[in-house]
Amino acid sequence: WHLVNVIIHFLNAVLVFFLIRLILRTAGLGEGPGASLPALAGAAIFSVHPAGSEVVAWTACMPELLFTLFSLSAFYLYGRGRESSSTGARFLLVALSVLIYFLSNFAKETAIVLPAFLFTFDWAAGRLKSFKSLLWYAPYAAVAIAYVVIRGLAIGEVPPMDKFYPYLRLG
């Protein structure tokens, strides 16, 4: 299990590298010699930072590693899709992003916030010029709603307050 955790953490670090490059390129800062150095530094810090050591060392933290892998992958594919000039490639990359986002929610519920990061990414890049630009987030909203419905059907209620938190009652 430890080897699998290390491999997934390595893949996460590689994704951090590519995602930082994408963000810098979108901001117009990813060109020229040495453009990959900030991304390399960010990925190196991510890979060796003590806050990430427990996730790699502990078996029960597999959901965090998978959630990170899926969320970073979905973010990267979305970013590549947004910068693609081909309509077919754009559709395929964003569709893969939505599918991976769906899987990331089942790894860990924290993944449900990914569309907020995508919105912030587009806002910072100046892509939110009209109401029509919000349509990019519709598939992510549909996936989030589908996940909440599936979770509700599987568990029986959302959230299961009586079972886990009997002192948190609404009435």
Side-chain angles (χ1 to χ4, degrees), residues 11-81:
L11 293 173
N12 287 338
V14 169
L15 281 167
V16 166
F17 171 80
F18 285 116
L19 191 56
I20 291 173
R21 284 210 40 185
L22 174 76
I23 291 169
L24 291 175
R25 188 170 55 244
T26 302
L29 303 171
E31 305 297 326
S36 295
L37 289 177
L40 185 61
I45 290 169
F46 173 84
S47 66
V48 299
H49 196 279
S53 64
E54 182 178 5
V55 176
V56 178
W58 194 21
T59 267
C61 288
M62 180 64 80
E64 282 83 359
L65 287 168
L66 290 176
F67 140 73
T68 304
L69 180 70
F70 291 146
S71 295
L72 290 174
S73 298
F75 194 143
Y76 181 71
L77 289 170
Y78 174 83
R80 290 299 305 265

Side-chain angles (χ1 to χ4, degrees), residues 138-154:
Y140 296 95
V143 162
I145 292 168
Y147 170 74
V148 170
V149 168
I150 291 168
R151 182 187 187 280
L153 292 173

Side-chain angles (χ1 to χ4, degrees), residues 33-121:
S36 295
L37 289 177
L40 185 61
I45 290 169
F46 173 84
S47 66
V48 299
H49 196 279
S53 64
E54 182 178 5
V55 176
V56 178
W58 194 21
T59 267
C61 288
M62 180 64 80
E64 282 83 359
L65 287 168
L66 290 176
F67 140 73
T68 304
L69 180 70
F70 291 146
S71 295
L72 290 174
S73 298
F75 194 143
Y76 181 71
L77 289 170
Y78 174 83
R80 290 299 305 265
R82 286 298 299 238
E83 73 179 10
S84 177
S85 59
S86 164
T87 305
R90 183 179 307 132
F91 176 80
L92 178 64
L93 290 169
V94 173
L96 281 172
S97 172
V98 170
L99 175 64
I100 292 172
Y101 169 62
F102 183 67
L103 296 174
S104 71
N105 283 302
F106 289 100
K108 189 166 181 175
E109 288 184 339
T110 311
I112 206 158
V113 301
L114 179 67
F117 286 99
L118 300 180
F119 178 83
T120 304
F121 173 68

